[in-house]
Amino acid sequence: MANFTFQGKNIYYETHGEGSPLLVLNGIMMNCLSWNPFVRPFSRQNRLILLDMLDQGRSDKMEGPYTQEIQADLIRALLDELKLEKINILGISYGGEVALHFAVKYPSCVDRLVLSNTTCYTSPWLRDIGEGWNRAASDGEAYYYTTIPVIYSPKFYLENNEWMENRKKLLIPIFSNKAFVSSMIRLTDSASTLDLRDRISEIQAETLVISSEFDFITPPPEQKFIVSRLRHVSYALMPDCGHASMYEKPMLFASLVLGFVNNCETLYTV
Amino acid sequence: MANFTFQGKNIYYETHGEGSPLLVLNGIMMNCLSWNPFVRPFSRQNRLILLDMLDQGRSDKMEGPYTQEIQADLIRALLDELKLEKINILGISYGGEVALHFAVKYPSCVDRLVLSNTTCYTSPWLRDIGEGWNRAASDGEAYYYTTIPVIYSPKFYLENNEWMENRKKLLIPIFSNKAFVSSMIRLTDSASTLDLRDRISEIQAETLVISSEFDFITPPPEQKFIVSRLRHVSYALMPDCGHASMYEKPMLFASLVLGFVNNCETLYTV
Amino acid sequence: MANFTFQGKNIYYETHGEGSPLLVLNGIMMNCLSWNPFVRPFSRQNRLILLDMLDQGRSDKMEGPYTQEIQADLIRALLDELKLEKINILGISYGGEVALHFAVKYPSCVDRLVLSNTTCYTSPWLRDIGEGWNRAASDGEAYYYTTIPVIYSPKFYLENNEWMENRKKLLIPIFSNKAFVSSMIRLTDSASTLDLRDRISEIQAETLVISSEFDFITPPPEQKFIVSRLRHVSYALMPDCGHASMYEKPMLFASLVLGFVNNCETLYTV
Amino acid sequence: MANFTFQGKNIYYETHGEGSPLLVLNGIMMNCLSWNPFVRPFSRQNRLILLDMLDQGRSDKMEGPYTQEIQADLIRALLDELKLEKINILGISYGGEVALHFAVKYPSCVDRLVLSNTTCYTSPWLRDIGEGWNRAASDGEAYYYTTIPVIYSPKFYLENNEWMENRKKLLIPIFSNKAFVSSMIRLTDSASTLDLRDRISEIQAETLVISSEFDFITPPPEQKFIVSRLRHVSYALMPDCGHASMYEKPMLFASLVLGFVNNCETLYTV
């Protein structure tokens, strides 16, 4: 419901409610609309900020290749736009990766950090999986079957088969849109050089890291590595859940985020 | 900071703050004081109610044997005393078992339920472990070594060795007090007949179940069984954590409890 | 090194060594050559039988669609050809699924059964993943990126990057062969209707089920389901290993298979 | 069925069968008789050597305190007695710890090594648990309840309740024998200083490490540490199994040991 200009690009964002600001960073195929079911709980005590990053949703598309660092710079510009010095950030998947870039580059701007289903390194394995996604992008149906099932747990996909079939009908036309898939390819490519393994130990923000038991894109060892490097870190596992944790276990996901971001204490003396 | 009489026994409880009431039920060796580090976060948005159950802390001791059901009746009486019709409950270990009894017997009195490190069945294995605890009770040091290390994860015990050594010095004199250990024996015995396996499916309350990865008293399969039987349930795992989850991972523990109890939504339309 | 005819099709198989017969059933993209490193250990005490099933390796290709049941009938014919009444079977992935069909249809022909990385049900999730594979089949590189990374654990793929790059060079030309990928599509389709969930409890054979911790095609819950239904079953987990367990952990894989198949006892009186 | 003298003490051992020698090292409360159900499978292809270490079974008891290193020296003497230069070793729990001492001190004497439910470090946590065991030793029943349930998984204990009750009847009289529990105390104390964390990377032997999912004495992180330090190592997890893995899952246990020890290959070229 608001726009600003970043490096000549029009950027779309929304704010809801009042309170300690909580910026939410989308996964690769998501946009502000994806958070509809979370707007009410996330804006009750917080000023919720939703953002379509470059090549996402209602923000402008890019022409050529870039890296995730530009998305971190975009967030820095958004803080200026909103006249905020420090924010809480929730990032999921691609959004968590951008959050890591931001926290490393602009450490003083991060209050609390929630990293869900995030890696700090695009390994050859993940890069080649992304390559498979990009090669399927010329056909909407192929892109659906290559990118969507794998982000859900088999059990969720089975038990919510009707919902998944509806999503299939919804997504295939979108995935058949050339401009959309070109954005997806650029976003995927922008993550392909991610390697913050040696940098994340610099992060000072109080951080919550969330893994899903059946995350087949960024499996738990990725988050365990992050946890092993951070200083002020809590770590939660969502059992029986796939990569798209916010869709599979929304009640637990929202409880973790809100409980952590709004918890007054940072350290208990055990 | 308050008292009332239940079945001729003096019962001690405390309330802190205002808001949706949150009753906290202690583990077997705990009492109101154990929650000191949590009073501030738990009372910021909620009316926190701490309670020493029968044979705990500053409440009266019992003379003979009883079952956990009497503790559930005690909670019912506390609600009358506080003129409350419905409360949120957090129970850990023994407290979670009492919470299950209460939720089954007084379903309309439970708003949200958080069950941490809880079983709904004292199996022969757990009963025999309790038997070992009771047989060590005649000697304070023996009781310490038999009951305390096992409730922590080996890693926490190692990394917080100084804190554990201080606890040892603090606890051994307490464990050498005959009246105290007699209470502990009665509490342990009151749990020995617990078997709500066929009843918990009746629970209607929105429930969060929490497991610890290295809980060696009530291991994750116990909580998975509960999750498999409940209708409105979320399930979180605390990695790298022992049975005494509130001490080992206080930030995550408090985030889960507060986030879940105060989360406005119960169901997201996925 | 031998051939026979089944339903008008030429079938290729090999036998190595002498002893209790051990039939090995390939995963979907494998053939007799894939077992080269295992021929020596597997044939030291056993008569090892390698088999290219229909549409695999040097056996004839099919023209139209079929189900996995025909592969089970092929095995029955192979037993006649070899004049064997009963055999031990090791099946991995697709081969394990065929082994399940065979064990259900011809229970008296199975001595011991080893099921590695196997499911008894192609769920909508797995079927849609297979659909993604089939849609990538028109391009050798796309087929590689879509089907190969996901069958390895990220850690193995990273630590054996040179070996993986060599495999890439080896496989892409093969995957660019129209006849080959047509076979792959038919094999994938033949598994798409697999549903033995209600039948596997009939299996009487002493069985070893093997899971890989990071199997993202047939994750551990698939094997746990099988274990929960079988009567005479042992269950092993290969930590830190992907779907292609025989390649990632050959020493453990071979030890499990040989130890189980040649272990004289079936029941210890505990 | 044979004896020899080591440092003035009479040592009991047994050999069964012919073939590559396999020495089995007992857990703390075990003795040669404990392996009765395994004698037949373990001696079919191997020369099985069972050994009562100092303070175990039919070997002499010690008078004062000692460390596990003396047990390693005892094994060295046994090799001389048997005129063997190199052996395969299977050690479980205490036996695995002695095997580690032996492999570090006498590296050229170890062929293959199987370490089941083993730690290389008695942490403060494990030391304090041992302290609890020792303090319960004055009463046979207390010793049973303190030491036995915890070494089984809750599920096994429940499903084999009759067998456990029989064991209780069998063990309590033994645990009431002063000489026996004095031995147990000395054995427990001999392990209390174990710390080979900096030494195990020297081990060159091809090694199999086995964890149990519900091992509450030496949980899987202990074995993962060992695996992370060894060069030639395979790692297997026994799901749904407690510390006493040989009793809970004998078929899988024997298959792992035999498959690994007799597997001809040490390295497959992946």
Side-chain angles (χ1 to χ4, degrees), chain A:
Chain A
M1 301 167 290
N3 296 274
F4 77 109
T5 302
F6 169 72
Q7 297 189 4
K9 298 291 181 186
N10 186 47
I11 301 300
Y12 175 85
Y13 68 95
E14 302 177 7
T15 67
H16 304 263
E18 292 304 320
S20 177
L22 170 60
L23 171 65
V24 173
L25 298 177
N26 306 322
I28 199 162
M29 292 183 190
M30 294 166 67
N31 60 59
C32 292
L33 288 171
S34 312
W35 298 97
N36 256 353
F38 294 88
V39 167
R40 204 173 132 235
F42 281 7
S43 64
R44 269 210 323 162
Q45 298 184 56
N46 296 93
R47 183 181 185 192
L48 172 65
I49 306 161
L50 301 178
L51 169 69
D52 286 339
M53 292 187 274
L54 292 159
D55 267 326
Q56 288 191 322
R58 280 169 273 186
S59 289
D60 275 357
K61 301 206 178 311
M62 299 288 277
E63 286 87 37
Y66 51 93
T67 70
Q68 286 175 318
E69 221 177 325
I70 198 175
Q71 309 280 23
D73 293 336
L74 162 64
I75 294 165
R76 187 66 196 75
L78 176 64
L79 261 63
D80 285 343
E81 162 78 10
L82 294 170
K83 300 188 180 20
L84 291 171
E85 292 195 350
K86 211 168 183 172
I87 42 163
N88 303 294
I89 303 183
L90 157 65
I92 183 165
S93 192
Y94 186 95
E97 298 169 17
V98 172
L100 283 173
H101 278 289
F102 184 79
V104 163
K105 192 165 179 183
Y106 306 106
S108 65
C109 299
V110 183
D111 197 346
R112 292 207 176 157
L113 190 56
V114 181
L115 302 167
S116 183
N117 307 86
T118 296
T119 186
C120 67
Y121 170 48
T122 300
S123 71
W125 182 84
L126 187 55
R127 197 193 55 226
D128 280 4
I129 283 180
E131 188 64 31
W133 292 21
N134 286 352
R135 283 168 189 272
S138 55
D139 176 64
E141 291 194 46
Y143 199 62
Y144 176 87
Y145 289 115
T146 306
T147 62
I148 298 301
V150 73
I151 66 171
Y152 291 93
S153 71
K155 190 181 169 195
F156 179 88
Y157 207 85
L158 176 62
E159 293 180 351
N160 299 272
N161 203 230
E162 201 183 340
W163 186 76
M164 289 308 316
E165 289 300 317
N166 285 335
R167 260 185 110 63
K168 198 182 287 187
K169 279 186 206 123
L170 177 80
L171 290 174
I172 288 175
I174 296 170
F175 289 176
S176 302
N177 178 305
K178 294 296 167 206
F180 177 83
V181 293
S182 296
S183 293
M184 288 306 107
I185 290 172
R186 284 190 300 272
L187 285 162
T188 300
D189 286 342
S190 75
S192 68
T193 52
L194 168 69
D195 187 0
L196 292 170
R197 288 177 294 175
D198 292 338
R199 302 291 308 278
I200 55 172
S201 61
E202 302 164 19
I203 295 175
Q204 296 291 336
E206 187 78 31
T207 304
L208 171 65
V209 175
I210 303 173
S211 282
S212 299
E213 186 182 14
F214 299 117
D215 184 337
F216 301 155
I217 295 298
T218 54
E222 303 300 317
Q223 291 88 48
K224 285 179 189 170
F225 179 85
I226 296 174
V227 169
S228 75
R229 288 301 186 279
L230 297 193
R231 302 183 197 191
H232 309 295
V233 64
S234 296
Y235 179 38
L237 183 87
M238 296 173 69
D240 220 9
C241 184
H243 183 68
S245 54
M246 57 171 278
Y247 289 122
E248 291 202 22
K249 306 283 181 192
M251 182 72 181
L252 178 58
F253 185 86
S255 297
L256 278 164
V257 172
L258 291 175
F260 183 78
V261 167
N262 294 318
N263 192 348
C264 66
E265 305 284 296
T266 57
L267 274 179
Y268 299 96
T269 325
V270 279

Side-chain angles (χ1 to χ4, degrees), chain A residues 37 40-41 44-45 112 163 234-237 239 247 250-252 254-256 259-260 262-266 268 270, chain B residues 37 40-41 44-45 112 163 208 234-237 239 247 250-252 254-256 259-260 262-266 268 270:
Chain A
R40 204 173 132 235
R44 269 210 323 162
Q45 298 184 56
R112 292 207 176 157
W163 186 76
S234 296
Y235 179 38
L237 183 87
Y247 289 122
M251 182 72 181
L252 178 58
S255 297
L256 278 164
F260 183 78
N262 294 318
N263 192 348
C264 66
E265 305 284 296
T266 57
Y268 299 96
V270 279
Chain B
R40 202 171 136 237
R44 270 211 322 164
Q45 297 184 57
R112 291 204 177 160
W163 186 75
L208 171 66
S234 296
Y235 179 38
L237 184 86
Y247 289 122
M251 183 72 181
L252 178 58
S255 298
L256 278 164
F260 184 78
N262 295 319
N263 192 348
C264 67
E265 304 284 294
T266 57
Y268 298 95
V270 279

